[in-house]
Amino acid sequence: MNRLKDKVAIITGSTSGIGAAMARLFAKEGATVVICGRREKRGNALAQEIRKNGGKAMYHFLDLTQPETITALFADTKEKLGKIDVLVNNAAAIGLPDGTVEEVTPEMWDAIFQSDLRGAFIATREVLPYLKENGGGSIVNIGSMASTGGDLGATAYSAAKAGVDMLTKSVALQYGKQGVRCNCIRPGLIVTTQNEPFLPQFTKEVFLDNVAGTRYGRPEDIANMALFLASDESAYVTGQILDVDGGISCHVATVAQFRRGESHTWDH
């Protein structure tokens, strides 16, 4: 229960979903958690819940489209809590318009890159001096399986998340000698109470057909990996892109179809 004892962890976009699951788990494991996002009411309620259960947490407003709020987040955390040990770059807008190359406008492209890559870059850039002053720390980026290959429609999103992968490797290389580790988690389909009402049944069936296991991902699956990467247990792990997707990325694209045909791929 003390895997993050005495650590101060900032988790962006943590008022609900995956971020909230990470906040609860990090606090349970001894961290002082800074919950941040745009939804003040939810953020304060989650912080209160964690404190009620014996954990340590506070809420801070954050809007990745307003760089001054990123600067304030780290400065205020250092002032109030004395240090920063962990940053989880989880925040990203949901449901931004995307499409094929011909459908995506420069404005759509810029909005997605601001949400899914630029925000993580600025947050990382701003936190680095605090981590170096602290003698090191861990940055955990939340990427996406969309960065592993081309997509029929999510052109800008997949490109932005591929950028998160490479940002991860660059930070790990450039700042490892100063004690800073940086890794990236690529989730598969993670079903939350917030997104499930909007997930088409067809989409859920496709993912379930392609995972190696028997269920969709849960926020806790990502939280557990983030906990490992934030903790000293992963002290020799950096620059890694880790898939937490139920095994969907471990096979060729035709597996689901062959499985339905009860074939071992080549012997049908």
Side-chain angles (χ1 to χ4, degrees), residues 84 125 127-137 174-175 178-180:
I84 301 169
R125 186 175 183 273
V127 81
L128 280 168
Y130 297 98
L131 296 181
K132 290 190 291 181
E133 177 187 348
N134 193 42
Q174 294 167 15
Y175 299 96
Q178 293 162 286
V180 177

Side-chain angles (χ1 to χ4, degrees), residues 1 8 88 190 207:
M1 302 293 289
V8 174
V88 181
I190 306 298
F207 274 86

